């Protein structure tokens, strides 16, 4: 099928590349010329395992193209994905101006032939009808301009046959390519059977698990809903997962006070099939581009309709407090932090990504600076990528050994796999104090203690 993906951020690029890999002809559109030039050269602007290789192979096969020409993309695609960012505003609302601009641009270039316009961006509930309205506004504006230019008469009409589909993404940063080829479900929201059938045709290779790790599994469930329900599914899923993390963090804080081990508690309750073991890892809180934005947007939507989300508000507050837990533990061990040096192991909000958006590390750096501590950090991606220029109040080290040198404490902020293989015995010898705060309960306490550290976990 002919596909156009507008926006090559995290979701758009992964979606476009993976659809090209399974056999569709995809044009990815972005208005950033430098970014398009980079992608045409075969380089990915984001770090995601496996993505660069798929980009290069799909481009070589002719299935994947990159362009800044929106008109060419709209003419090419029978399915048009809107995959631009919807960042959170200070009020908690989603900023939909980029979606609006793209929808208006699509309308300005529609000219005959049925199109399916897909909302892949995470948009406020009710945006499907709003996008349709904006597209029609774009069509009307083009009609007016053509009449004014004398290109068409006042009685001629531009043909613009299309439907809007909500198709939320459920990709995890760091495993987005895997998630695309091995989805738990595919959600399609529309009231038009023709649009749904085209989307099912698009996703047929994924539904039939032709590219899954285990091709013998049953077909992927396809959930067909109305537009608003599909949009709500995305928000509800992320809000539930964020609440689950906040819940186990609340339990961890009680465990710290009563002498229980939250890792054992999580294992015990996670074996209950009604609860499940995923997202029960206590630590220093959730961050990134999705959970904070989506939970806040759902809270704001509820407020618009006169409902107070007490449970979601509590999940947000628990998460804010959780980011101070490591600081409190440092104060318990080192007392006054002014003049002390603290090393952060990891900066990104989760491993296998270069994403620093709303990362707990940023909060910790800010608090440690306020308390007068010197902050150093090592991150496998940030330390090597040059992205550290945007970070203030922290010295970025090139390797873990340099990080440990002269530190009064280390804090595990991100659970990078390589941190399991560090020579902690060598690192502790260069430190002023042998304190290690495991903010993710990631390391083996016995191994770290044997290396000479005083180990403190979260809720342990």
């Amino acid at each position: 099928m002919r596909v156009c993906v507008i926006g090559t951020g995290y979701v758009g690029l992964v979606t476009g590349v993976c659809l090209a890999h399974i056999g569709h002809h995809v044009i990815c559109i972005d208005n950033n010329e430098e970014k398009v030039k980079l992608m045409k050269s075969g380089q990915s602007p984001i770090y995601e395992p496996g993505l660069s290789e798929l980009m290069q192979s799909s481009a070589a096969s002719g299935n994947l193209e990159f362009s800044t020409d929106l008109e060419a993309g709209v003419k090419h695609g029978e399915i048009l994905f809107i995959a631009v960012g919807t960042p959170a505003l200070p009020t908690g609302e989603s900023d939909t101006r980029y979606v609006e601009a793209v929808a208006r641009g699509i309308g300005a270039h529609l000219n005959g032939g049925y199109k399916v316009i897909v909302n892949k961006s995470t948009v406020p509930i009710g945006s499907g009808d709003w996008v349709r309205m904006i597209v029609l506004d774009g069509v009307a504006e083009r009609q007016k301009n053509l009449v004014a230019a004398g290109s068409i008469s006042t009685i001629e009409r531009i043909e613009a046959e299309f439907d809007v589909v909500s198709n939320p993404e459920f990709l995890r940063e760091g495993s987005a390519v895997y998630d695309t080829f091995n989805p738990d479900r595919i959600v399609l929201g529309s009231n038009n059977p023709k649009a749904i059938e085209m989307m099912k045709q698009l996703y047929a290779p994924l539904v039939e698990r032709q590219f899954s790790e285990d091709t013998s599994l049953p077909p992927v469930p396809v959930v067909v809903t109305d537009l608003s329900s599909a949009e709500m599914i995305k928000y509800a899923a992320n809000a539930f997962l964020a609440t689950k993390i906040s819940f186990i963090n609340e339990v961890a804080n009680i465990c710290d006070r009563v002498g229980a081990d939250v890792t054992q508690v999580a294992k015990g309750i996670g074996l209950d099939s009604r609860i499940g073991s995923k997202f029960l890892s206590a630590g220093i809180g959730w961050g990134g581009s999705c959970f904070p934005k989506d939970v806040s947007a759902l809270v704001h939507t509820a407020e618009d309709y006169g409902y107070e989300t007490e449970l979601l508000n509590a999940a947000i507050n628990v998460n804010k407090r959780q980011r101070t837990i490591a600081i409190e533990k440092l104060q318990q061990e080192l007392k006054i932090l002014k003049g002390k040096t603290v090393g952060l192991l990891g900066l990104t909000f989760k491993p296998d990504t270069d994403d620093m958006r709303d990362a707990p590390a940023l909060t910790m750096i800010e608090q440690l600076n306020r308390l007068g501590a010197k902050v150093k950090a090592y991150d496998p991606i940030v330390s090597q990528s040059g992205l550290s220029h945007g970070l203030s109040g922290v010295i970025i080290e090139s390797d873990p050994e340099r990080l440990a040198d002269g530190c009064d404490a280390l804090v595990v902020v991100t659970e990078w796999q390589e941190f399991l293989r560090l020579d902690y015995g060598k690192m502790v010898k260069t430190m002023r104090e042998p304190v290690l705060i495991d903010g993710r309960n990631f390391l083996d306490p016995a191994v770290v203690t044997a290396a000479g550290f005083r180990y403190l976990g979260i809720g342990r």
Side-chain angles (χ1 to χ4, degrees):
M1 300 181 76
R2 299 186 314 279
V3 179
C4 172
V5 178
I6 305 161
T8 59
Y10 200 90
V11 173
L13 185 58
V14 172
T15 299
V17 169
C18 290
L19 287 175
H21 180 71
I22 67 175
H24 302 298
H25 185 187
V26 180
I27 296 181
C28 290
I29 304 295
D30 201 287
N31 60 5
N32 185 324
E33 292 186 5
E34 288 300 313
K35 190 177 182 183
V36 169
K37 186 177 178 182
L38 179 73
M39 293 184 292
K40 281 184 174 181
S41 73
Q43 298 181 65
S44 171
I46 60 172
Y47 177 79
E48 177 65 32
L51 185 61
S52 292
E53 294 84 351
L54 288 184
M55 273 183 66
Q56 292 161 13
S57 63
S58 296
S61 71
N63 280 349
L64 181 64
E65 301 175 48
F66 297 98
S67 175
T68 57
D69 190 344
L70 178 60
E71 182 177 3
V74 172
K75 286 182 177 178
H76 164 82
E78 50 193 321
I79 296 181
L80 312 174
F81 281 91
I82 299 176
V84 292
T86 52
L89 294 168
T91 59
E93 296 174 271
S94 294
D95 185 349
T96 57
R97 58 183 156 170
Y98 306 112
V99 174
E100 180 176 355
V102 169
R104 196 175 298 278
I106 290 173
H109 298 303
L110 283 180
N111 192 7
Y114 179 73
K115 308 276 188 181
V116 175
I117 300 172
V118 184
N119 263 343
K120 200 69 174 173
S121 302
T122 302
V123 291
I125 298 154
S127 292
D129 292 332
W130 173 74
V131 164
R132 181 176 184 82
M133 178 186 73
I134 299 299
V135 172
L136 290 173
D137 285 349
V139 173
E141 190 173 335
R142 182 184 178 201
Q143 172 98 21
K144 181 180 176 182
N145 291 337
L146 289 174
V147 169
S151 301
I152 62 174
S153 69
T154 55
I155 60 172
E156 290 180 273
R157 287 287 177 266
I158 295 174
E159 293 297 324
E161 188 186 359
F162 69 93
D163 281 296
V164 176
V165 171
S166 175
N167 174 217
E169 52 83 20
F170 303 99
L171 306 180
R172 298 169 297 169
E173 291 193 36
S175 55
V177 172
Y178 175 88
D179 290 345
T180 301
F181 296 139
N182 301 270
D184 294 321
R185 76 289 204 195
I186 292 173
V187 176
L188 304 172
S190 175
N191 296 322
N192 189 296
K194 183 178 180 179
I196 294 296
E197 284 308 309
M198 285 182 65
M199 293 301 294
K200 286 182 176 179
Q201 182 184 345
L202 178 80
Y203 285 128
L206 299 181
V207 172
E208 295 162 7
R209 298 200 182 272
Q210 294 174 18
F211 294 84
S212 292
E213 188 174 61
D214 183 354
T215 56
S216 67
L217 290 172
V220 175
V222 177
V223 181
V224 178
T225 73
D226 58 83
L227 277 166
S228 295
S229 295
E231 292 160 352
M232 178 60 94
I233 286 169
K234 168 66 174 178
Y235 283 112
N238 277 350
F240 180 80
L241 295 175
T243 301
K244 194 173 181 182
I245 297 171
S246 286
F247 169 79
I248 199 63
N249 282 335
E250 190 103 275
V251 170
N253 296 337
I254 301 172
C255 286
D256 256 339
R257 288 158 173 76
V258 302
D261 185 340
V262 74
T263 62
Q264 296 178 28
V265 173
K267 182 178 180 180
I269 66 174
L271 290 170
D272 187 325
S273 61
R274 298 168 299 175
I275 298 173
S277 60
K278 294 180 179 179
F279 289 83
L280 283 181
S281 296
I284 52 176
W286 37 268
S289 63
C290 290
F291 283 4
K293 176 174 72 74
D294 291 355
V295 177
S296 293
L298 189 54
V299 168
H300 193 276
T301 297
E303 289 175 350
D304 284 345
Y305 289 86
Y307 184 76
E308 183 181 356
T309 53
E310 295 184 14
L311 182 60
L312 297 183
N313 289 335
I316 292 170
N317 291 333
V318 168
N319 193 58
K320 287 179 181 176
R321 183 178 64 192
Q322 203 65 20
R323 295 189 175 193
T324 68
I325 293 296
I327 306 296
E328 293 174 9
K329 289 181 179 291
L330 286 170
Q331 290 174 320
Q332 291 166 9
E333 289 296 308
L334 303 177
K335 308 309 178 188
I336 303 299
L337 296 185
K338 193 177 184 68
K340 303 292 173 63
T341 301
V342 177
L344 306 182
L345 280 165
L347 285 168
T348 56
F349 87 97
K350 66 180 292 188
D352 297 319
T353 180
D354 57 7
D355 199 341
M356 288 289 299
R357 286 175 289 183
D358 203 31
L362 299 176
T363 305
M364 294 183 63
I365 291 167
E366 180 184 351
Q367 291 179 339
L368 288 168
N369 283 330
R370 180 178 58 80
L371 293 168
K374 178 181 178 181
V375 186
K376 301 200 295 179
Y378 166 76
D379 184 278
I381 293 295
V382 176
S383 293
Q384 311 302 328
S385 66
L387 297 172
S388 55
H389 300 308
L391 292 168
S392 60
V394 58
I395 300 167
I396 305 297
E397 297 289 6
S398 59
D399 60 69
E401 286 74 22
R402 287 177 182 270
L403 174 72
D405 189 17
C407 278
D408 296 282
L410 295 177
V411 181
V412 177
V413 179
T414 314
E415 58 271 43
W416 287 95
Q417 284 296 312
E418 75 171 64
F419 293 165
L420 295 174
R421 302 185 294 271
L422 297 181
D423 188 344
Y424 287 99
K426 181 179 178 182
M427 291 166 63
V428 75
K429 291 175 183 175
T430 65
M431 294 177 62
R432 287 203 292 257
E433 292 284 343
V435 175
L436 189 146
I437 311 294
D438 189 351
R440 298 295 182 184
N441 290 343
F442 182 59
L443 305 179
D444 184 338
V447 171
V448 178
T449 302
F453 276 98
R454 295 203 303 274
Y455 174 92
L456 290 92
I458 306 296
R460 306 191 77 176

